[in-house]
Amino acid sequence: MFLQTLVTGLSMGGIYSLMAVGYSLIFSILSFSNFAHGAVIMLSAYIGLALATKAHLGFGLVVTGSVVGAGVLSVLNEKFAYAALRRRRAPSLYLMISAMGCSMFLENMVYATIGSRFYPFPAFFGRQIVTVGGSSLSLLDLFAFIVSIGAIVALHLFITRTKMGIAIRAGVDDMTMCSLMGVNTDRLISLVFFLAGAFAGIAGIFLGIRYFVYPTMGWVTNKAYIAAVIGGLGSLPGAMVGGLILGVLETLISTYVSSVLRDVFSFTVLVALLIYLPNGLMGAETEEKV
Amino acid sequence: MDYILNIVLLACINMIAVAGLAIFTGFTGLFSLGHAAFVGIGAYTSGVLTYHWNLPFIWAISAGMAAAGASSLIIGIPTLRAKLRSDYFAIAILGFGEALRVSLENLPWTNGARGLSLDELSGPVWVIGALVICLFLTHNLLISRFGSLFAAVREDPVAAEMAGINLFRTRLLSLVVSAALCGVSGALLAHRLAFIQPVMFTLTQSTQLLASVIAGGMGSISGPMIVAFIFSLLPEALRGLNMWRLPAYGLLLVLIMTYRPQGIMGYQELTDIFRKARKRFK
Amino acid sequence: MNDSLLEVRDVTRSFGGIRAVDALSFDAERGKITGLIGPNGAGKTTVFNLITAVYRPTSGSIRFEGVDLTRKRPDEIVRCGVARTFQNIRLFKRMSCLENVMTPLLARVACGPLRALFCGPSVRNEKRAVQEKAYSIMEALDIADVADRNAFTLPYGQQRKLEVARALACAPKLLLLDEPAAGMNDAETEELAGTIEKVRRNFDVTIILIEHHISLVMSICTYIVVMDRGALLASGTPREVREDERVVEAYLGRRRTGGKRS
């Protein structure tokens, strides 16, 4: 029973991690919280749903389509809502309000066009069960967990080992310096948004399979945001660890205490963390220049 | 006639909440994604009091105001003392709002998610009287030294501290006053609609309040008042387009930030414009 | 050092593993101008940030008139009588110049929130008195003519002066000036020297000055503290410092051989 809860928690945590990575990536380079990320995740789930039910594609193609679609959406989101602000060095508050607006726009556009119906994903995994050490674990949970961790490790390798990844890290350190060195910052930022979107795409599919596809499903990303804060906004390993911790804690709470209290608990953790450990578990100590 | 009156009264009620948020976001420069929670606290406190104990309306409103102000201390004291980054604060207060909604849905005397049916007590006299009083008090506060202190904190928190301003107390005062105004708005709203439900006070409502403040202009009260009034009337005027209202608000926020971040009346009041116009005539 | 207003003792502050300020000790004598110089990255501004509690020292003590500042909030320190300007000008941009100078004065007015809410007109009169006081400070710095303009519309040099005016409105005993001459030409710098001297006399303040214009520092400071890589390199009168070989090597020498200040 406990192992089962743990795996469910880890798999939920893996999905949180996927979403948190998107927040962290964007935060690390533009230092603002991209509240529109949730809407991108929601749209990616709809893309996946359309590919699966209308085009009858297999799981691999559905994921690919959703990843590419979400990546493109995320880049468009940046071009449309943030690029102008970024160029005139607007305060991060403005970027955040713009992000809020974007999320409101996208979510309600879906309401207005597709409607508020809850759509189920086709049963890619059925209710297949694997038995490990006497506990029965759902295949979906195991698969979600492994894919999430795999994707994040791949991202980590990309950022630490490839030339493009190193350019991103340089951008994180100092955007102005980067542009002085001849790096095309617009392209760099588009790349970062594409990556964040791609991860949103994977997360959207898993969320959709796990629950349903509906306009406000992006709200779950509030949790992802919490996960990113737990790990330290801007830190990729932090986002992964934060996501897993939150997923496990939440599952434990809803199994052993009360599922109503789960959300209250997450937000209490968030507030407590922000106050006592504002840099999270793995975030760098930020020093405001005075 | 009744129909128009009803819409105008709802617009006035909305304006009180927007004035509250304008003090906090527009003047003090802190971004809140949870002010609808304070409207909700005002609504439920007053609603429960008139529903269960038949308290006189004036006391119910006062209690709603006090409860909203006091509850803002619960979230305000720890977060403002820790001097959180503005986006961290916004998300913390959002969390507070969500936690509140869950609690309202599960408390014994709120009738849960099904909502609470109340008497329609907020007549025109109450609503317009409350609006006038609230705006008068807001005006007093903003022309007093606190108006300048709020603005200094908004412009540069570090420099404000170095000017001898107690950052924590100034921000907390701004939060409590703004929450109290939202509480009044909530109490009136509850007894205007004669029905309240926890889902009426979520992120969507918080964002609408914020949209009014930002479109109206940071550092201005008259701008947000005008916009809040228009925003409340528009959906009624454009009935068929109701479902496009929220996407339009969202788009509006993006466009404002991109093209006119100071909003329609950024950092000035109607009176300033009149004064300038008169100068030009002379 | 018989009459020191500020005593910095063994102050260390590290960020991560780097010691931005390393066991620094110095005094600021009452009524005098103390210069704080050193190459870029020596930790001069960090010292100001430590005195005004933007950062807390990792260890060591900072005493002002015998009172320990290291546990106080920034605004409490201002009330004790310490005011500062910023290297990268931090004005209240969208407020008028006069309002900028009024802010520290308003922060001290005794008027609670309830009075502010309920007694509109009487509160206004109090504000008028503050306005006059602020105006007189601006007059003393020859910037009264721009009182009604928005702070961010001012030319650079006047923005620096406005920052000094705002700091003076805190009624300080100790004024910390962080590179007041940055971006000024020689003529402006010379004028600034006069202004600083005038401020010291008319407002009866002790001054600590961070500055890269060596001639300015040498001409108006009575005592100079030289920092290098967070630590104290030398200190003494301008002449002593000028003749100190370590200083010449670490700082002046580097400039003489054509090293450019960024």
Side-chain angles (χ1 to χ4, degrees):
Chain A
M1 176 68 186
F2 179 77
L3 183 64
Q4 199 178 330
T5 313
L6 189 70
V7 171
T8 314
L10 282 174
S11 113
M12 199 56 225
I15 301 177
Y16 285 160
S17 302
L18 285 175
M19 301 192 279
V21 161
Y23 274 115
S24 264
L25 260 179
I26 291 168
F27 186 91
S28 67
I29 203 147
L30 291 181
S31 42
F32 84 103
S33 306
N34 179 22
F35 290 132
H37 196 58
V40 174
I41 292 172
M42 177 266 298
L43 286 173
S44 76
Y46 274 97
I47 294 173
L49 182 74
L51 292 177
T53 54
K54 296 273 169 13
H56 304 288
L57 297 180
F59 184 68
L61 284 176
V62 167
V63 172
T64 317
S66 165
V67 161
V68 173
V72 171
L73 268 172
S74 174
V75 172
L76 289 179
N77 172 18
E78 196 275 330
K79 294 273 175 243
F80 174 65
Y82 314 138
L85 290 164
R86 168 165 68 70
R87 286 199 195 102
R88 65 174 148 82
R89 294 171 179 279
S92 65
L93 183 70
Y94 288 7
L95 284 159
M96 206 162 57
I97 294 171
S98 194
M100 223 29 243
C102 251
S103 135
M104 199 164 153
F105 171 71
L106 293 174
E107 214 168 76
N108 290 294
M109 278 305 276
V110 172
Y111 256 122
T113 52
I114 304 175
S116 58
R117 227 186 100 193
F118 282 51
Y119 292 93
F121 246 88
F124 281 119
F125 294 91
R127 295 214 161 273
Q128 279 161 293
I129 278 169
V130 190
T131 315
V132 179
S135 313
S136 42
L137 310 174
S138 118
L139 184 64
L140 168 65
D141 280 349
L142 279 178
F143 189 71
F145 176 67
I146 292 165
V147 169
S148 313
I149 302 304
I152 292 171
V153 169
L155 177 70
H156 186 72
L157 290 178
F158 171 76
I159 286 202
T160 47
R161 299 286 159 82
T162 65
K163 214 175 143 193
M164 250 152 83
I166 290 168
I168 292 178
R169 278 198 303 165
V172 168
D173 278 346
D174 195 335
M175 211 65 194
T176 333
M177 200 60 206
C178 230
S179 70
L180 289 177
M181 306 278 282
V183 177
N184 182 338
T185 49
D186 275 348
R187 229 164 51 210
L188 189 69
I189 287 171
S190 293
L191 174 67
V192 167
F193 271 84
F194 184 83
L195 282 174
F199 277 79
I202 309 177
I205 297 282
F206 280 125
L207 270 183
I209 295 179
R210 226 189 148 103
Y211 304 115
F212 287 96
V213 180
Y214 54 97
T216 50
M217 66 184 286
W219 283 32
V220 184
T221 50
N222 287 336
K223 299 288 185 51
Y225 184 83
I226 298 175
V229 171
I230 293 177
L233 262 177
S235 149
L236 293 189
M240 187 173 89
V241 173
L244 294 179
I245 292 179
L246 188 67
V248 171
L249 280 182
E250 274 196 3
T251 317
L252 288 178
I253 295 252
S254 52
T255 314
Y256 295 109
V257 188
S258 131
S259 58
V260 171
L261 284 181
R262 191 190 64 190
D263 290 3
V264 177
F265 165 81
S266 316
F267 279 109
T268 317
V269 167
L270 171 77
V271 173
L273 259 174
L274 286 176
I275 293 166
Y276 295 107
L277 200 64
N279 298 315
L281 297 174
M282 296 180 157
E285 188 181 349
T286 45
E287 167 197 338
E288 203 193 349
K289 292 211 172 73
V290 174
Chain B
M1 199 58 220
D2 268 3
Y3 168 71
I4 293 176
L5 180 70
N6 187 39
I7 294 165
V8 170
L9 291 183
L10 284 175
C12 290
I13 291 172
N14 188 31
M15 282 161 78
I16 296 176
V18 170
L21 188 61
I23 294 176
F24 189 65
T25 297
F27 281 86
T28 321
L30 284 165
F31 183 59
S32 164
L33 293 175
H35 260 58
F38 300 126
V39 180
I41 290 172
Y44 267 93
T45 308
S46 64
V48 166
L49 288 177
T50 55
Y51 183 83
H52 290 288
W53 289 287
N54 262 322
L55 215 66
F57 193 36
I58 180 77
W59 292 116
I61 296 178
S62 310
M65 178 177 81
S71 65
S72 74
L73 294 174
I74 298 173
I75 184 74
I77 288 176
T79 52
L80 294 175
R81 173 160 284 156
K83 291 188 199 166
L84 294 184
R85 283 176 54 106
S86 61
D87 45 347
Y88 282 10
F89 177 80
I91 201 89
I93 208 165
L94 166 71
F96 173 74
E98 288 295 294
L100 179 85
R101 185 181 53 79
V102 175
S103 317
L104 285 178
E105 280 172 2
N106 293 287
L107 283 175
W109 8 272
T110 56
N111 209 16
R114 276 158 308 168
L116 205 58
S117 288
L118 302 166
D119 294 331
E120 194 183 306
L121 299 172
S122 309
V125 178
W126 281 105
V127 171
I128 291 168
L131 177 65
V132 169
I133 293 171
C134 286
L135 287 182
F136 173 71
L137 294 180
T138 305
H139 171 77
N140 276 355
L141 184 72
L142 292 175
I143 61 156
S144 80
R145 72 189 191 106
F146 291 105
S148 305
L149 300 192
F150 290 165
V153 167
R154 173 192 70 211
E155 292 296 311
D156 192 327
V158 175
E161 266 193 306
M162 294 304 155
I165 297 174
N166 183 331
L167 211 53
F168 167 64
R169 284 225 312 252
T170 308
R171 283 175 165 167
L172 192 65
L173 173 70
S174 168
L175 177 63
V176 171
V177 173
S178 82
L181 287 176
C182 287
V184 173
S185 167
L188 293 167
L189 183 72
H191 296 90
R192 181 74 223 152
L193 299 175
F195 176 69
I196 45 175
Q197 223 180 347
V199 299
M200 290 159 63
F201 311 104
T202 56
L203 181 62
T204 313
Q205 284 71 33
S206 293
T207 319
Q208 286 190 40
L209 293 177
L210 196 66
S212 300
V213 171
I214 287 161
M218 305 271 275
S220 165
I221 286 291
S222 37
M225 287 301 93
I226 296 167
V227 171
F229 194 75
I230 297 173
F231 274 11
S232 308
L233 295 192
L234 263 192
E236 303 299 332
L238 311 168
R239 260 285 153 99
L241 300 174
N242 202 10
M243 87 189 176
W244 299 100
R245 185 172 56 122
L246 287 172
Y249 282 176
L251 198 60
L252 187 70
L253 280 184
V254 177
L255 293 177
I256 288 174
M257 283 300 114
T258 310
Y259 297 108
R260 198 178 158 80
Q262 72 274 38
I264 59 166
M265 301 267 295
Y267 306 102
Q268 55 184 350
E269 300 294 351
L270 268 184
T271 46
D272 298 332
I273 293 176
F274 289 143
R275 207 173 301 140
K276 273 179 207 158
R278 212 187 306 157
K279 247 186 203 168
R280 204 163 297 159
F281 266 121
K282 282 176 183 171
Chain C
M1 210 51 57
N2 42 17
D3 189 17
S4 20
L5 185 65
L6 182 83
E7 295 167 22
V8 175
R9 286 289 169 275
D10 283 324
V11 167
T12 298
R13 166 73 210 214
S14 6
F15 294 107
I18 302 152
R19 291 191 160 185
V21 174
D22 191 358
L24 182 75
S25 300
F26 72 90
D27 285 20
E29 202 178 337
R30 197 185 291 272
K32 299 286 163 57
I33 302 179
T34 303
L36 185 57
I37 63 172
N40 273 317
K44 304 180 297 288
T45 297
T46 310
V47 172
F48 276 13
N49 285 338
L50 289 169
I51 297 173
T52 54
V54 175
Y55 308 139
R56 302 285 176 196
T58 312
S59 65
S61 79
I62 299 171
R63 291 179 161 274
F64 177 76
E65 293 192 307
V67 181
D68 189 14
L69 296 186
T70 49
R71 301 212 172 281
K72 289 188 184 290
R73 283 195 318 268
D75 59 289
E76 288 173 333
I77 291 173
V78 174
R79 265 156 223 245
C80 288
V82 180
R84 72 177 284 183
T85 66
F86 297 91
Q87 189 179 351
N88 45 347
I89 307 181
R90 300 187 80 129
L91 290 166
F92 305 132
K93 288 202 186 79
R94 280 166 301 211
M95 292 162 74
S96 78
C97 296
L98 188 65
E99 282 175 310
N100 265 275
V101 183
M102 282 167 69
T103 302
L105 298 166
L106 288 171
R108 297 183 160 217
V109 171
C111 164
L114 284 179
R115 242 194 93 206
L117 279 171
F118 294 103
C119 326
S122 80
V123 170
R124 240 182 224 184
N125 291 336
E126 265 169 27
K127 213 170 171 178
R128 207 156 290 145
V130 164
Q131 217 163 335
E132 277 160 25
K133 180 93 195 287
Y135 196 76
S136 72
I137 295 174
M138 293 183 78
E139 271 180 333
L141 288 170
D142 302 321
I143 46 171
D145 51 320
V146 295
D148 290 331
R149 277 173 62 180
N150 249 359
F152 72 92
T153 62
L154 291 191
Y156 199 69
Q158 289 198 321
Q159 289 197 13
R160 291 235 173 250
K161 275 194 176 173
L162 183 58
E163 265 213 326
V164 176
R166 186 179 65 188
L168 285 172
C170 299
K173 293 171 194 152
L174 176 66
L175 181 61
L176 311 173
L177 298 177
D178 197 344
E179 295 200 29
M184 289 187 179
N185 60 32
D186 287 348
E188 285 171 322
T189 307
E190 205 158 297
E191 191 208 322
L192 181 76
T195 311
I196 294 176
E197 187 54 40
K198 198 168 92 184
V199 162
R200 185 188 67 81
R201 257 182 294 118
N202 294 359
F203 290 87
D204 190 26
V205 287
T206 305
I207 294 175
I208 303 181
L209 173 73
I210 294 181
E211 196 38 77
H212 278 291
H213 285 80
I214 289 302
S215 55
L216 174 68
V217 176
M218 292 295 170
S219 66
I220 63 173
C221 296
T222 44
Y223 193 77
I224 293 176
V225 177
V226 190
M227 285 178 74
D228 189 25
R229 278 172 241 144
L232 181 75
L233 187 68
S235 63
T237 62
R239 179 186 291 176
E240 285 166 6
V241 165
R242 199 167 4 200
E243 285 163 4
D244 192 304
E245 267 174 32
R246 288 165 303 177
V247 177
V248 174
E249 178 141 341
Y251 183 62
L252 302 171
R254 205 176 297 166
R255 294 195 65 194
R256 234 174 251 163
T257 53
K260 229 180 111 193
R261 187 174 66 78
S262 62

